[in-house]
């Protein structure tokens, strides 16, 4: 067996989580990550017959039965992951019954997966239905994105349009726009259902007064989406505080979309 700490999926996840902590997005235990792993690849590193323990949960994930995920632990700090990956991360397989996670590696201090497992697994189910190459669900608390949910309308069209108006890259990176949920109690099946539903139509879902979800075919895609929203939100918060005098117009956004051949939310422009 090869050393799992050398696996590409592991080194990439650890590097991303450390970066996110240093960006100031993931205070304390804020944020969580789940990555759908390739079973054959996992078998190079782990005896998948060896189930360390079973951890039940209270929603139906039979659509993911047999699938293996790398998942951050609940209450764990992103800043600590690189120093003790096995205590802060876990590798779980969804059992046939659909409401038990079989622990194959990690959570060595007796811990368990993130409290946001409903939003993660329900979002994996929803995204796999739209895109069989989907792999990653990433949740974080980026400062300016949250600030923007305090200062700006949460209407999805208005929120997206403002992000598009702040910098050229926004509409190019997320032409389908950003979904937005109002504040809800986190860690529940309800917010999981609502998030997964939103992520059918977009790869980004903002949680009012809380944070954001990004999904993708790999970590770079999910991270890059969130990073681009956060940059636009930062520009908005800085510029709005002194008064916005210029922004990219709807006509300019249309020209940009035509040049880049974007399949964008045309109804979000005036
Ligand atoms: P966990 O520590 O359970 O992952 O929760 C962190 C968080 O961001 C809740 O939304
Ligand atoms: Zn959170």
């Amino acid at each position: 067996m090869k050393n799992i700490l050398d696996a590409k999926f592991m080194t990439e996840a650890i590097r991303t989580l450390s970066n996110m902590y240093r960006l100031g997005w993931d205070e304390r235990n804020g944020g969580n990550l789940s990555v759908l792993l390739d079973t054959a690849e996992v078998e190079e590193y782990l005896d998948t017959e060896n189930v360390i323990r079973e951890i039940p949960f209270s929603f139906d994930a039979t659509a993911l039965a047999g699938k293996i995920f790398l998942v951050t632990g609940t209450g764990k700090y992103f800043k600590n992951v690189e120093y003790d990956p096995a205590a802060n991360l876990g590798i779980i397989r969804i059992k046939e019954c659909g409401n038990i996670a079989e622990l194959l590696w990690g959570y060595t201090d007796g811990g368990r997966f993130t409290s946001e497992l409903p939003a993660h697994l329900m979002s994996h189910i929803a995204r796999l239905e739209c895109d069989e190459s989907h792999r990653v669900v990433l949740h974080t608390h980026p400062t300016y994105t949250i600030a923007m949910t305090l200062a700006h309308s949460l209407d999805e069209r208005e929120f997206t349009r403002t992000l598009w108006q702040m910098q050229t890259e926004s509409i190019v990176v997320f032409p389908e726009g950003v979904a937005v949920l109002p504040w809800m109690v986190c860690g529940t099946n309800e917010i999981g259902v609502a998030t997964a539903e939103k992520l059918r139509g977009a790869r980004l879902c903002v949680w009012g007064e809380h944070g954001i979800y990004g999904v993708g075919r790999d970590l770079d895609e999910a991270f890059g989406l969130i990073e681009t929203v956060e940059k636009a939100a930062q520009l908005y918060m800085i510029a709005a505080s002194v008064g916005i005098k210029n922004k990219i117009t709807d006509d300019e956004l249309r020209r940009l979309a035509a040049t880049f051949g974007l399949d964008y939310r045309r109804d979000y422009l005036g």
Side-chain angles (χ1 to χ4, degrees):
M1 288 279 163
K2 296 196 257 179
N3 182 350
I4 194 152
L5 296 179
D6 296 331
K8 188 162 176 274
F9 60 76
M10 185 67 71
T11 55
E12 261 185 22
I14 294 170
R15 201 172 52 232
T16 304
L17 297 171
S18 298
N19 280 340
M20 292 171 72
Y21 170 69
R22 289 186 199 106
L23 284 164
W25 298 355
D26 297 283
E27 77 292 342
R28 201 174 184 276
N29 62 310
N32 24 78
L33 166 69
S34 61
V35 183
L36 172 56
L37 302 177
D38 178 67
T39 301
E41 193 181 351
V42 173
E43 284 167 351
E44 294 174 28
Y45 300 94
L46 292 179
D47 173 8
T48 55
E49 300 290 304
N50 181 30
V51 175
I52 299 165
R53 59 191 154 97
E54 295 192 339
I55 314 174
F57 53 86
S58 58
F59 60 94
D60 177 28
T62 39
L64 299 173
K67 296 206 185 302
I68 299 177
F69 295 88
L70 176 68
V71 186
T72 51
T74 185
K76 301 303 187 193
Y77 296 22
F78 279 15
K79 78 179 179 70
N80 294 337
V81 176
E82 64 182 305
Y83 304 107
D84 193 352
N88 292 287
L89 302 172
I91 294 179
I92 58 170
R93 180 174 54 210
I94 309 305
K95 210 171 168 176
E96 290 307 313
C97 59
N99 61 1
I100 289 177
E102 297 175 313
L103 181 63
L104 302 179
W105 177 88
Y107 306 146
T108 52
D109 60 2
R112 52 189 277 131
F113 41 73
T114 173
S115 60
E116 303 292 4
L117 195 76
H120 280 258
L121 294 192
M122 291 178 194
S123 297
H124 281 293
I125 293 169
R127 286 306 302 180
L128 284 166
E129 282 173 18
C130 328
D131 177 8
E132 62 180 25
S133 300
H134 159 84
R135 294 291 178 271
V136 175
V137 175
L138 180 58
H139 166 61
T140 178
H141 301 169
T143 311
Y144 291 94
T145 303
I146 301 173
M148 190 165 153
T149 72
L150 307 175
H152 191 281
S153 150
L154 294 183
D155 175 82
E156 287 177 356
R157 175 180 178 270
E158 289 174 28
F159 201 92
T160 297
R161 192 158 165 242
T162 297
L163 295 172
W164 284 354
Q165 289 166 341
M166 293 300 110
Q167 58 180 3
T168 303
E169 283 304 301
S170 286
I171 194 172
V172 178
V173 173
F174 49 94
E176 77 270 46
V178 171
V180 184
L181 282 177
W183 184 89
M184 292 175 75
V185 177
C186 59
T188 60
N189 288 353
E190 288 71 29
I191 202 168
V193 170
T195 304
E197 201 47 46
K198 290 288 190 190
L199 289 171
R200 287 182 190 279
R203 291 165 297 160
L204 288 155
C205 180
V206 169
W207 281 4
E209 299 92 59
H210 184 134
I212 191 167
Y213 272 75
V215 299
R217 295 174 170 190
D218 55 32
L219 258 169
D220 273 356
E221 183 182 2
F223 178 81
L225 283 163
I226 294 173
E227 192 178 28
T228 309
V229 168
E230 173 64 356
K231 181 68 172 280
Q234 182 174 10
L235 294 168
Y236 173 76
M237 293 307 297
I238 293 170
S241 66
V242 292
I244 293 176
K245 295 201 174 59
N246 306 297
K247 55 190 170 196
I248 306 174
T249 65
D250 285 349
D251 193 45
E252 287 165 341
L253 288 168
R254 281 190 198 95
R255 281 167 50 203
L256 195 54
T259 305
F260 282 80
L262 303 176
D263 181 15
Y264 69 108
R265 284 292 297 256
R266 289 167 174 76
D267 56 323
Y268 280 4
L269 298 184

